[in-house]
Amino acid sequence: MNSQSIASNPFTITTPLYYVNGLPHVGSAYPTIAADAIARFRRLQGKSVLMITGTDEHGQNIQRTAESRGLQPQEHCDQIAASFKALWQQYNIQYDRFIRTTDPRHEAIVNEFFQRVWDHGDIYLGRQQGWYCLSCEEFKEERDLLDDHRCSIHTNRVAEWRNEENYFFRLSKYQGQLEALYAKQPDFIQPEARRNEVLSFVSQGLQDFSISRVNLDWGIRVPNDPKHTIYVWFDALLGYVTALLKPDEEPTLENALKRWYPIDTHLIGKDILRFHAVYWPAMLLSAELPLPGRIFGHGHLTKDGQKMGKTLGNVLDPVALVERYGSDAVRYYFLKEIEFGRDGDFNETRFINTLNADLANDLGNLLNRTLRMAYKYCGAIVPELLPDAIQAENTLMAIGIGLGDRVTQAYDALAFSEACEAILSLVKAGNKYIDDQAPWSLHKQGQQQAVEQILYTVLESVRLAAYLLAPITPQLSTAVYQQLGFSVNFNEHTLIHIAAPFATHAGWGTLPPKQALGEPQPVFQRLEVLEAVSS
């Protein structure tokens, strides 16, 4: 695929812009791993990909947190943003843009967008009173609060009563257009459970929402009315647009939107679903900009069946986790063992058992013992077979022929667990096949052609599995490919150098005959239980 066709085939995906009131946690890493896996998969398909992540750094909560640490807000934000970047590197996450809402270019984009919506007549000055959750940065309706006016999301925080003058966005004006959007594009909000939540919320009637605060220094000032600061959501959501700019481009909407827009997929936590699936499209409609392809709301993580929290002493330290077990192990567990879109649990025993069974035993041992036999029986090269040497009824080939399409459909649907299960079905079949065929016995009988057919079939199965797992386990897949004699490195940011990458490598029968094989060695080290990684 040449560079011109790549450039005309863009794909843009975003993570949430993470709030910098504290250090990143496992819940932050989870959707970022998922976004990275999809970005890698699209690159394998030959698409030009832009993966956006970053931090939301304005608001009263940030200002108060910085003050409590004895820091200026910018100092606090600089420290926390750096910790996100460091963690993404540890998790082998290859983002293209890291946007910070304190970036000076972002203010220019926000002001231009604000003016568009203002000119459309959708911003007005009004008064808001009610219960306000500082952690959510949102006014709450009584129905959304627990006893004693505690926030239903931040249950340890009591909402504050406020009565203030704000600028408002006419969300109610767009109720009909949003309902028409959801009906015409049922896949706009995914998964279905999240879509149903939004439909239920919208059906109760949309109310205009506040987009400014007064008496707040830390944020972007409202154009022409500097005593007001733009409210966090009308600021933060535009970070997705600012991130589309090249680093040296003039910060205008025209420049930001000319190549990578509209965004294909927003990955967000279910707790901020309303802002992305209702507020954001309404804002874009007001500004007369195209809407994103889909909003996908993932679930929350628990540990040992309990919600994670410092009071319970069961917070999962994302740094300790990846330092102990490696990025591939953590990436694989979260995407294979948790259905993306549902809540999921981390249990360390299950984690270790899953990784050892799937990657060390099933995949790693299958490759290792097959390579050893190829060294012994075939002179350390890929067996040379005629095109029709593999029987049509061969069980591994039957699975492998359709596997690329099945896994593609799963990745397209963000069904990572389904993709992994499909891939592992080939690996498990490979272990059964080699046991049943017993090439070591056939070798003793002098049936060299049968031995070579078996070994080629198994090696090709391992290759195909490693290729399709590469978006999730790039280091392991690289090790597999290199032992099979390829010079591919799946950790590279782009794999355009592979000729017709997906069409060739996701198909059956790509392993070149007579290719020199690498020496057998473990591609995934078995994991052992040490002390818990809670903090």
Side-chain angles (χ1 to χ4, degrees):
M1 184 174 288
N2 61 40
S3 60
Q4 184 174 0
S5 59
I6 290 288
S8 64
N9 198 17
F11 177 83
T12 310
I13 186 168
T14 75
T15 73
L17 300 186
Y18 300 106
Y19 206 42
V20 295
N21 59 325
L23 293 171
H25 49 78
V26 166
S28 311
Y30 180 45
T32 316
I33 291 169
D36 181 68
I38 289 298
R40 288 173 181 269
F41 178 72
R42 295 303 185 201
R43 292 187 190 108
L44 290 182
Q45 289 183 306
K47 289 183 178 289
S48 184
V49 175
L50 190 78
M51 177 184 160
I52 293 170
T53 187
T55 45
D56 170 14
E57 302 183 6
H58 287 140
Q60 191 171 50
N61 199 22
I62 300 301
Q63 185 172 334
R64 290 187 182 180
T65 300
E67 289 171 354
S68 71
R69 298 182 64 209
L71 298 175
Q72 292 297 315
Q74 189 65 62
E75 291 179 289
H76 166 81
C77 292
D78 290 346
Q79 290 181 9
I80 303 299
S83 70
F84 274 94
K85 289 183 176 182
L87 188 63
W88 296 168
Q89 184 175 8
Q90 287 183 286
Y91 277 83
N92 201 6
I93 290 165
Q94 296 182 343
Y95 58 84
D96 297 283
R97 303 279 167 79
F98 190 102
I99 182 62
R100 299 178 57 187
T101 57
T102 52
D103 184 331
R105 300 176 307 157
H106 179 62
E107 182 172 355
I109 294 295
V110 170
N111 286 341
E112 186 178 351
F113 186 91
F114 187 99
Q115 192 63 49
R116 276 201 187 197
V117 178
W118 177 275
D119 293 343
H120 214 104
D122 289 339
I123 296 175
Y124 64 91
L125 190 62
R127 179 164 289 277
Q128 176 132 353
Q129 62 179 7
W131 296 101
Y132 184 82
C133 174
L134 188 62
S135 293
C136 292
E137 296 275 11
E138 180 190 15
F139 279 96
K140 297 286 186 176
E141 298 181 28
E142 288 280 355
R143 66 188 182 190
D144 295 328
L145 296 172
L146 304 176
D147 294 340
D148 301 323
H149 298 104
R150 287 179 293 112
C151 175
S152 59
I153 298 173
H154 304 93
T155 56
N156 61 341
R157 183 180 287 277
V158 176
E160 303 175 0
W161 178 262
R162 294 193 177 184
N163 183 352
E164 58 188 38
E165 180 185 72
N166 299 149
Y167 283 96
F168 287 78
F169 172 72
R170 298 186 192 276
L171 180 64
S172 58
K173 173 181 172 181
Y174 291 92
Q175 173 143 357
Q177 287 177 259
L178 290 174
E179 289 174 332
L181 166 67
Y182 306 146
K184 184 178 180 181
Q185 296 177 233
D187 292 337
F188 179 73
I189 303 168
Q190 297 178 12
E192 186 176 3
R194 302 284 93 81
R195 179 176 185 271
N196 291 338
E197 290 175 19
V198 171
L199 293 179
S200 175
F201 173 76
V202 173
S203 69
Q204 298 176 53
L206 294 178
Q207 299 180 2
D208 300 347
F209 67 89
S210 168
I211 63 170
S212 76
R213 295 289 180 268
V214 292
N215 303 318
L216 174 62
D217 297 329
W218 187 240
I220 298 172
R221 301 295 184 182
V222 170
N224 302 320
D225 196 348
K227 71 176 181 291
H228 284 264
T229 300
I230 293 178
Y231 169 59
V232 64
W233 288 108
F234 218 78
D235 164 6
L237 290 168
L238 269 298
Y240 299 131
V241 176
T242 306
L244 301 174
L245 291 163
K246 292 180 180 179
D248 56 349
E249 274 187 314
E250 182 185 359
T252 66
L253 282 176
E254 181 181 4
N255 285 338
L257 304 176
K258 65 185 177 183
R259 181 182 181 194
W260 295 104
Y261 196 84
I263 291 164
D264 293 271
T265 299
H266 287 300
L267 299 187
I268 52 104
K270 65 180 183 179
D271 54 327
I272 52 174
L273 178 66
R274 181 187 309 176
F275 307 110
H276 286 77
V278 181
Y279 292 13
W280 182 226
M283 291 160 56
L284 293 171
L285 288 169
S286 175
E288 298 182 329
L289 297 179
L291 303 183
R294 65 175 165 182
I295 312 291
F296 196 104
H298 66 80
H300 289 167
L301 299 179
T302 58
K303 185 175 185 296
D304 301 325
Q306 291 184 301
K307 183 177 180 181
M308 284 183 268
K310 292 181 179 178
T311 55
L312 295 174
N314 69 339
V315 174
L316 191 59
D317 184 342
V319 175
L321 186 65
V322 73
E323 286 180 346
R324 176 172 303 167
Y325 297 119
S327 60
D328 272 8
V330 181
R331 291 165 65 101
Y332 182 81
Y333 178 84
F334 281 131
L335 296 185
K336 190 258 185 178
E337 288 297 297
I338 298 172
E339 182 181 342
F340 198 64
R342 293 180 177 270
D343 291 347
D345 188 64
F346 178 88
N347 175 275
E348 195 155 5
T349 300
R350 180 183 171 196
F351 172 87
I352 289 171
N353 290 341
T354 296
L355 272 296
N356 286 341
D358 292 359
L359 302 187
N361 296 346
D362 287 346
L363 181 59
N365 284 348
L366 179 61
L367 171 63
N368 195 264
R369 64 176 176 155
T370 309
L371 277 177
R372 287 200 303 268
M373 283 186 279
Y375 260 69
K376 187 174 181 179
Y377 305 146
C378 305
I381 63 170
V382 177
E384 185 175 8
L385 297 181
L386 296 174
D388 58 351
I390 300 176
Q391 300 297 318
E393 63 271 17
N394 184 284
T395 54
L396 295 187
M397 187 171 70
I399 297 172
I401 286 175
L403 186 61
D405 290 339
R406 290 170 59 197
V407 172
T408 295
Q409 291 173 6
Y411 276 122
D412 286 344
L414 305 185
F416 303 104
S417 56
E418 290 182 17
C420 291
E421 289 290 355
I423 295 165
L424 263 291
S425 70
L426 177 62
V427 174
K428 291 176 180 178
N431 277 297
K432 184 177 187 305
Y433 177 80
I434 203 167
D435 288 339
D436 291 345
Q437 298 299 316
W440 50 89
S441 296
L442 295 174
H443 176 73
K444 291 179 181 179
Q445 299 168 18
Q447 298 187 42
Q448 182 63 19
Q449 185 176 356
V451 170
E452 292 184 0
Q453 176 183 320
I454 293 165
L455 296 183
Y456 180 91
T457 304
V458 176
L459 290 173
E460 171 60 7
S461 299
V462 174
R463 181 210 63 79
L464 179 57
Y467 184 80
L468 295 173
L469 276 176
I472 298 172
T473 57
Q475 293 174 340
L476 178 145
S477 296
T478 296
V480 171
Y481 252 63
Q482 291 178 352
Q483 287 191 42
L484 291 175
F486 293 92
S487 59
V488 172
N489 183 353
F490 290 102
N491 283 307
E492 293 181 6
H493 197 64
T494 177
L495 289 170
I496 307 298
H497 67 281
I498 300 179
F502 198 77
T504 300
H505 286 252
W508 176 265
T510 295
L511 192 58
K514 301 182 74 172
Q515 177 165 284
L517 296 168
E519 290 189 15
Q521 54 185 310
V523 293
F524 188 87
Q525 296 290 342
R526 287 183 57 82
L527 305 179
E528 301 294 337
V529 178
L530 301 174
E531 74 275 8
V533 293
S534 299
S535 65

